[in-house]
Amino acid sequence: MNNQHMIEVDGLRKAFGDLEVLKGIDLVVDRGDIISVIGPSGSGKSTLLRSLIHLEKAEHGTILIEGAPILEERGNKLTHISETEIRKRCKKLGMVFQGFNLYPHKTALENIIEAPTVVAKVPKAEAIKNGEELLQKVGLSDKRDTYPCFLSGGQKQRVAIARALAMNPDILLFDEPTSALDPELIGEVLQVIKELAAEHMTMIIVTHEMTFAKEVSDRVIFMDEGKILEEAHPDKLFNDPDHPRIKTFLDKML
Amino acid sequence: MNIEYLVQSTGYILQGCSVTIKLFFLTLLFSMPLGFLGAMAKTSRVKTLHIIMEFYTSIVRGTPLLLQIFFVYYGLPLIIPGLRFDRFNAAALTFILNYGAYFTEIFRGGIQSIEKGQYEASKVLGMSYQQTMLRIILPQTIKRVLPPVANESITLVKDTALVVVLGIGDILRNSKEIVARDFTISPFVIAALIYLLMNYVVVIFFKNLEKRYAVYE
């Protein structure tokens, strides 16, 4: 099944109470795609990302992860999919959060090997070896036994990326990975993401870093008020967007 | 007042120590797991459990411990004939239920103080609820609840003196006997020093524990 999409989203709708945050999202992600999602705050970017990995349960629509549904609507009703099954299917995805969410009681290496040893049941020695390689990849070998509280924001986020990579996800989701960082620390995190891009890691990145989005992604999605306003190649979207709303937004950002 | 008299009194008062210490450890031994289960129930998704636990903690925390001791020892046998505990067991049962309620609230607060992001990180890494609780949430909770648990333990050392009302021969009861017999208050001073010493040990113990958990944050 070589033509299978990595992620397929169809008619995704999600509301928090009366507030409809996603108003019908269609999205296709293929292997190696690097997609940036931009748009004003409250446009539903994060909710879309969180719905893909089932941190939010949407009310309508279909989400297929490598062909397997984690949300499926048939005849206006959601089909029941068990939590265990959803969790299994979501293992294809990894996620990096704005607030890092590292385990404070575990060292950098322990953070990375936790899920491989506990969830994937990888032997500890092997997990440590992989973990050390990942730390090297994000340039933090010397922080192996350091607790997160002694790391800078940029270092924390790099450990968090290594932790997500340790589970060998097919797709990585980034939810504003640099928004909580001091400006001078943003570069080191973006650098790591760029390196992943060079390895053709499939990624969806919600970001406010326009220059980065332009540089790294094959496709940019502009979201506004719960809808995808435009989806295009960065050259097109940043230089000649179809929608005046996007132009106004970009003028403010750049 | 001579040294020999003081040594003799102290010896007699110290005999009461065994009851105090036994009650102290027995209470901690059972009320902590009880508090743990209570906290799990209160943070679970089962609404019925919330209601039961809410009833338990509000009754226990809202009424005097002394009254609860009277109730278990004198009251229960009247309500349920045949349910009669000896004095020490009645006291121990009351203490366990009482401290269990406080620990329930302390542990619940500790669990709920852990950031939502910790659950989300664990979820996206594929961990189950049990794995998340055991490996991620509870270890962090322990660190956060140490100071209030230390407080409760110190209070417990002193609360054990309440068993005097059932005529159990603890530190306070034994010193009171000497006071009544010899018309001197020195036994009270000795008793106070013993309680102070015991709490000193408790404080040192928890300080060390907190130091061990201070490697992060």
Side-chain angles (χ1 to χ4, degrees), chain B:
Chain B
M1 189 188 302
N2 56 38
I3 297 288
E4 201 182 328
Y5 175 79
L6 279 181
V7 170
Q8 237 175 26
S9 317
T10 309
Y12 184 64
I13 296 169
L14 277 176
Q15 283 174 23
C17 257
S18 65
V19 172
T20 303
I21 289 172
K22 205 168 122 192
L23 187 60
F24 176 81
F25 281 111
L26 213 58
T27 303
L28 285 189
L29 189 68
F30 286 101
S31 64
M32 288 235 219
L34 182 63
F36 172 74
L37 290 177
M40 295 310 284
K42 272 206 162 180
T43 52
S44 82
R45 279 171 230 158
V46 189
K47 283 272 145 44
T48 333
L49 284 177
H50 293 204
I51 297 166
I52 296 170
M53 293 319 293
E54 197 54 40
F55 181 73
Y56 163 58
T57 53
S58 33
I59 297 278
V60 169
R61 298 201 307 162
T63 57
L65 175 55
L66 189 55
L67 188 147
Q68 292 165 13
I69 295 172
F70 284 144
F71 178 79
V72 170
Y73 186 65
Y74 298 111
L76 275 188
L78 295 176
I79 300 169
I80 311 162
L83 189 69
R84 195 169 182 91
F85 301 101
D86 76 22
R87 289 175 300 171
F88 181 82
N89 287 346
L93 180 67
T94 316
F95 271 82
I96 288 165
L97 289 176
N98 183 281
Y99 275 77
Y102 284 95
F103 284 134
T104 294
E105 287 304 325
I106 289 173
F107 296 161
R108 177 196 59 77
I111 290 171
Q112 287 176 344
S113 77
I114 306 295
E115 298 72 20
K116 211 174 105 220
Q118 296 289 307
Y119 292 92
E120 292 187 345
S122 309
K123 198 176 167 190
V124 301
L125 287 168
M127 290 166 87
S128 67
Y129 181 74
Q130 284 90 331
Q131 287 168 335
T132 307
M133 285 313 276
L134 282 176
R135 306 191 49 94
I136 306 303
I137 307 302
L138 292 176
Q140 294 181 61
T141 305
I142 292 172
K143 180 187 163 99
R144 294 200 189 174
V145 301
L146 273 181
V149 167
N151 255 336
E152 283 305 307
S153 306
I154 290 166
T155 308
L156 174 58
V157 168
K158 295 172 293 178
D159 273 354
T160 57
L162 287 173
V163 300
V164 161
V165 296
L166 297 185
I168 297 171
D170 74 329
I171 295 173
L172 186 61
R173 157 98 185 186
N174 283 9
S175 46
K176 220 175 106 195
E177 274 178 21
I178 309 175
V179 169
R181 187 189 67 198
D182 301 341
F183 296 108
T184 159
I185 59 143
S186 58
F188 279 158
V189 178
I190 294 167
L193 288 175
I194 296 173
Y195 284 117
L196 262 177
L197 189 72
M198 287 169 67
N199 266 331
Y200 179 71
V201 175
V202 171
V203 168
I204 294 290
F205 174 79
F206 277 101
K207 263 202 181 135
N208 281 328
L209 214 54
E210 277 180 44
K211 216 182 272 171
R212 263 188 46 194
Y213 275 93
V215 288
Y216 69 91
E217 272 180 352

